[in-house]
Amino acid sequence: MRDMLLSLGIDRWVLPAMLFWPVLAALLVRVGGRDVSRDEAGGEAPSGGPDARVLTVAALAIEALLAVALWGVFDADGRGWQARVDLAWLADLGATLSLGVDGLSLPMVVMTAFVVPLALLGSWNNVRVRTPAFGALLLLLTSGLIGVFITLDLLAFYLAWELMLIPTYLLVGVWGAAGTSRASLRYVLFTLVGSLLMLVAIIALWNAGGGTSLHLDNLLQVALSPRTQLWMFLAFFAAFGVKSALVPFHTWLPDAQGAAPTVAAVTLGLKVGAYAILRFAIPLFPAAAMDHTVRTTILVLSVIAVVYGALVAMAQRDFKRVISYSSISHLGLIMLGSFVLTQQSVQGAVMSIISSGIATTALFLLAGMLEDRRATTAFSAFGGLARVLPWFSVALIVAMLSTVALPGTIGFIGEFLVLIGTYAEYPALAVIATSGVIFAAVYGLRAVQQLLFEKVDTETNGALPDLSGRERFVMVTLVAAMVYLGVAPHAILQRADRASQALIESVRFGPNAPTTLPPVSQSR
């Protein structure tokens, strides 16, 4: 199959297509899509053309097919960038539109390309006003998300990063729940400050390299003093840590996800910042990232995030906020695996990003389905749903069990690899972080019990409709992914193996490598 795809030259155009197709489709949806808003008489708004939501899903389905083709042309045993394309851009600045994937970014691209259309399908009736604009912004957001994972030029990466942030702000601010201006404003202020600091660091790094190239491979060879590395690393970490909602930069996330439309809440939960730390911040500035004080501080913050997020999730009375704080706790484990920087921990961080993307998507979609039916996600409004919503109940149980890392689900694979990789260097931190798994079981099973097995309020919940055919398709797909990748994770781990080795080697032996190396780096 791979030889056939290569003979068609797919590897030469699939990445540019994935980057630019959503932008073109956004224009088509905005201009040609029909708004499904309702007028005062209950009729559809008088606009022609197909439903904008249908056009948006069709465009996202094409993006998912391109992701399948990318997976097909990828050599699981290869090293370095694959499907690489270098297009001329700003020659005077040394900037090129350079695109490529390796074993770290490929799973992120495929996961994103499937999660976004599934999120839209699963929240079909969540947005019913100004749908052409909504669909166009969602497609632009998709282009930004894909761009973050595939761009190798730092200027192109920064533009993709901003293309990801701006549509999200508009999706939350315009289509969010009433009174969301504060949540959307906090989101944009938090992320904008970090992004501007990163831009300053990119300019400084480009200047230190002689102002001739902005390509990641070239900038990795620019020798920097430890002090310079420290300031640049902190600037990059500010942008990525805030976007990831790492404690103590997390306060914007629960409010933003609680106010956002369901599909925007899903995209906010994708761990793009954690990926960017692995791809850019650590390898570009290894002496700073592996500095004893910096590394210890981040590791401690990561463990605090694991425990704090789980404990706060236990205290919540709203399903959406439980999911948000659970995501913060999982982010702590991802950061822990990234900065411990052992072979297992890096692979575990990659698996945890994928696991969080799938399970969190499923949970937010389920929360959105409840909100569509009852206009609330407070636990007090529900109870006994297992008797009236069997399809919903099965999907919720599986998604929550994956979130709490039950063996046999994808959530277990990532957390287990992170913890055993951490134990090789920091056994005390690994033991403390393991307590987060116990707390996760508490808040996860408590949420399941309150939603599904408490006494049913027959007057308000007894006649709730179960999942529709469309919602069943989405949830069956996500549940199958959680179980299949939990039982057979080899496809992702095999592709991430060589890329994680290359990352560790670049940190240890590159021109900016720390003089004191971590004692364990490639335990297997």
Side-chain angles (χ1 to χ4, degrees):
M1 176 63 73
R2 180 173 181 270
D3 291 338
M4 183 191 74
L5 293 174
L6 290 175
S7 67
L8 297 175
I10 289 179
D11 59 317
R12 296 193 295 271
W13 56 262
V14 64
L15 290 181
M18 293 194 71
L19 182 63
F20 293 115
W21 162 244
V23 178
L24 175 60
L27 179 62
L28 297 176
V29 170
R30 183 65 185 88
V31 173
R34 173 171 54 85
D35 195 341
V36 297
S37 302
R38 300 286 176 171
D39 59 26
E40 294 181 359
E44 292 186 349
S47 58
D51 187 337
R53 297 172 300 175
V54 175
L55 287 180
T56 304
V57 166
L60 291 170
I62 293 174
E63 187 80 352
L65 290 176
L66 291 172
V68 172
L70 176 63
W71 184 275
V73 300
F74 191 89
D75 180 7
D77 296 321
R79 295 180 67 96
W81 307 116
Q82 299 191 38
R84 179 167 172 174
V85 175
D86 294 291
L87 304 175
W89 188 23
L90 302 175
D92 291 342
L93 297 178
T96 59
L97 188 58
S98 183
L99 310 175
V101 292
D102 64 358
L104 296 182
S105 55
L106 176 68
M108 315 292 178
V109 172
V110 176
M111 182 264 293
T112 302
F114 277 89
V115 158
V116 177
L118 288 173
L120 181 57
L121 274 176
S123 58
W124 193 252
N125 295 313
N126 189 246
V127 171
R128 296 190 62 83
V129 296
R130 297 185 291 274
T131 49
F134 181 87
L137 286 171
L138 182 60
L139 285 163
L140 290 176
L141 171 59
T142 302
S143 178
L145 287 168
I146 297 296
V148 166
F149 296 131
I150 68 174
T151 50
L152 306 179
D153 181 278
L154 262 66
L155 182 58
F157 167 78
Y158 179 78
L159 294 178
W161 184 265
E162 292 301 309
L163 184 60
M164 174 187 66
L165 299 179
I166 296 172
T168 301
Y169 165 68
L170 293 174
L171 291 174
V172 175
V174 177
W175 286 273
T180 60
S181 57
R182 180 175 177 270
S184 58
L185 182 60
R186 289 181 68 195
Y187 168 77
V188 74
L189 288 178
F190 270 69
T191 53
L192 182 61
V193 170
S195 297
L196 291 176
L197 290 174
M198 178 176 65
L199 178 60
V200 172
I202 290 174
I203 295 172
L205 183 59
W206 170 78
N207 187 66
T212 58
S213 176
L214 282 156
H215 196 283
L216 176 62
D217 289 345
N218 295 328
L219 294 179
L220 286 171
Q221 305 305 315
V222 177
L224 302 170
S225 68
R227 183 178 180 84
T228 301
Q229 284 194 59
L230 176 62
W231 286 110
M232 291 185 180
F233 172 80
L234 291 177
F236 272 67
F237 188 78
F240 303 149
V242 168
K243 182 62 181 72
S244 300
L246 177 67
V247 175
F249 311 113
H250 68 286
T251 54
W252 63 270
L253 183 63
D255 290 340
Q257 287 186 316
T262 301
V263 69
V266 167
T267 57
L268 281 170
L270 299 179
K271 303 297 190 293
V272 291
Y275 163 81
I277 286 174
L278 273 174
R279 170 62 69 221
F280 296 101
I282 293 178
L284 281 171
F285 316 111
M290 294 296 107
D291 175 79
H292 177 73
T293 301
V294 173
R295 189 185 190 206
T296 302
T297 300
I298 294 175
L299 291 175
V300 170
L301 284 175
S302 300
V303 173
I304 290 174
V306 172
V307 178
Y308 168 82
L311 290 175
V312 177
M314 291 167 55
Q316 299 305 305
R317 298 292 181 265
D318 183 274
F319 188 28
K320 275 190 173 182
R321 295 185 72 83
V322 169
I323 303 169
S324 291
Y325 281 104
S326 168
S327 180
I328 291 170
S329 179
H330 290 140
L331 188 275
L333 276 172
I334 294 169
M335 297 293 287
L336 184 66
S338 299
F339 280 88
V340 167
L341 209 68
T342 64
Q343 185 75 13
Q344 295 102 327
S345 72
V346 172
Q347 288 186 303
V350 173
M351 287 296 297
S352 293
I353 293 173
I354 303 300
S355 168
S356 178
I358 297 173
T360 302
T361 294
L363 290 173
F364 267 116
L365 287 177
L366 291 168
M369 293 169 192
L370 288 181
E371 192 170 33
D372 289 343
R373 288 159 172 78
R374 287 290 315 279
T376 181
T377 54
F379 288 134
S380 59
F382 300 99
L385 296 182
R387 303 179 188 178
V388 293
L389 306 178
W391 280 91
F392 174 91
S393 302
V394 171
L396 175 62
I397 290 172
V398 175
M400 193 61 78
L401 290 178
S402 181
T403 297
V404 303
L406 180 77
T409 64
I410 187 175
F412 173 77
I413 303 298
E415 291 194 11
F416 180 73
L417 287 172
V418 168
L419 291 174
I420 63 171
T422 301
Y423 190 83
E425 285 200 43
Y426 297 95
L429 292 181
V431 171
I432 297 172
T434 304
S435 66
V437 178
I438 301 173
F439 297 140
V442 175
Y443 69 70
L445 296 178
R446 170 180 167 273
V448 169
Q449 178 183 356
Q450 291 196 334
L451 289 172
L452 303 184
F453 302 113
E454 295 287 346
K455 182 178 180 180
V456 64
D457 181 352
T458 56
E459 181 178 350
T460 54
N461 295 325
L464 287 178
D466 202 0
L467 303 188
S468 65
R470 168 181 45 79
E471 291 169 336
R472 291 180 189 179
F473 168 76
V474 171
M475 297 314 303
V476 167
T477 302
L478 292 172
V479 165
M482 283 182 266
V483 175
Y484 174 76
L485 293 175
V487 175
H490 177 70
I492 295 177
L493 293 178
Q494 180 186 15
R495 286 160 176 78
D497 181 68
R498 292 188 180 276
S500 58
Q501 287 182 11
L503 170 65
I504 294 171
E505 290 171 2
S506 70
V507 170
R508 290 176 60 85
F509 305 117
N512 292 312
T515 54
T516 303
L517 298 177
V520 177
S521 61
Q522 299 194 57
S523 58
R524 301 186 65 89

